[in-house]
Amino acid sequence: MHLTRRQIPLFLMVVSAMFLFATSLFAEEGEWKHTGTGTRVKTVVFVDVNVYKISHFMKQVPEAKSKRAVIDADVDKKFQWTMLRDVDHEKVVSTLREAFALNGYSDSGKINKFVSAFSAELKENAKVTIAYDAAKKATTVSVGGGGSATVEGAEFMKAVWSIWLGKIDQPKLGDALVSKL
């Protein structure tokens, strides 16, 4: 390719615009810090069954590198699940309710609103995102093939994050979700 003197500025401008466009596409994702990934396992009659893969991301990581610090961090953060098998929505809802209770959270109005997003069977490869917006003090759950719900309050966010990083029947999962802090 041979450029004339008059074409060089135009060429540089086009290349610069392409670079800015490309970097803007990836800027938001680059702001998220991946803190870890794990797999939720359910044991059924001595057999371990993989239920979903879950990853955790934060916009700002806490100074203390602990699960408690991640739970308490009032920053933008999110969980992303990918279902590894089909699971009936009633099973997901009852499991979430049990996890809230195990971690001492009992605001049934907020729990009901949150679990209402799980309105249909979760199919293999379905995506679930649970995101906390620190500016709005709101937790939003979006369920692929289901619905979505937004629940206000930093205390509710801490209750949700405690499901995976607090008291849990699979402590190694919580450890995996903060392993990259």
Side-chain angles (χ1 to χ4, degrees):
M1 179 169 128
H2 180 68
L3 297 175
T4 66
R5 264 186 193 202
R6 289 194 299 182
Q7 292 173 321
I8 290 174
L10 178 62
F11 175 76
L12 292 174
M13 190 170 68
V14 169
V15 169
S16 296
M18 289 172 49
F19 176 77
L20 289 173
F21 176 74
T23 56
S24 70
L25 285 176
F26 300 106
E28 181 179 291
E29 194 61 36
E31 294 176 12
W32 290 97
K33 165 74 172 142
H34 177 225
T35 66
T37 296
T39 301
R40 176 70 172 132
V41 177
K42 182 70 178 167
T43 302
V44 181
V45 191
F46 307 112
V47 176
D48 286 341
V49 178
N50 293 336
V51 181
Y52 56 82
K53 180 178 141 190
I54 182 170
S55 296
H56 184 256
F57 303 86
M58 300 178 79
K59 288 278 181 120
Q60 300 166 322
V61 297
E63 287 186 32
K65 308 299 184 201
S66 69
K67 292 186 274 189
R68 182 81 251 164
V70 172
I71 292 169
D72 291 339
D74 194 355
V75 300
D76 291 350
K77 53 190 174 180
K78 65 184 173 182
F79 289 109
Q80 293 180 323
W81 307 355
T82 300
M83 296 302 296
L84 301 175
R85 57 176 296 126
D86 295 353
V87 178
D88 188 67
H89 80 279
E90 284 104 6
K91 182 62 180 164
V92 173
V93 168
S94 67
T95 300
L96 288 169
R97 289 183 188 282
E98 290 168 9
F100 280 119
L102 180 64
N103 285 283
Y105 190 78
S106 60
D107 185 329
S108 61
K110 289 185 176 187
I111 292 170
N112 290 340
K113 187 173 183 181
F114 182 78
V115 299
S116 71
F118 297 89
S119 59
E121 180 179 26
L122 290 169
K123 297 288 189 180
E124 184 176 353
N125 295 319
K127 307 286 186 204
V128 176
T129 300
I130 301 170
Y132 177 69
D133 183 325
K136 295 179 181 175
K137 304 285 187 240
T139 302
T140 299
V141 57
S142 301
V143 181
S148 67
T150 299
V151 182
E152 292 74 28
E155 287 305 312
F156 182 76
M157 170 274 293
K158 290 177 185 181
V160 172
W161 261 251
S162 294
I163 291 173
W164 290 276
L165 303 175
K167 292 179 185 174
I168 181 173
D169 64 342
Q170 188 183 341
K172 290 181 184 177
L173 178 58
D175 296 338
L177 292 170
V178 297
S179 64
K180 295 185 176 192
L181 280 177

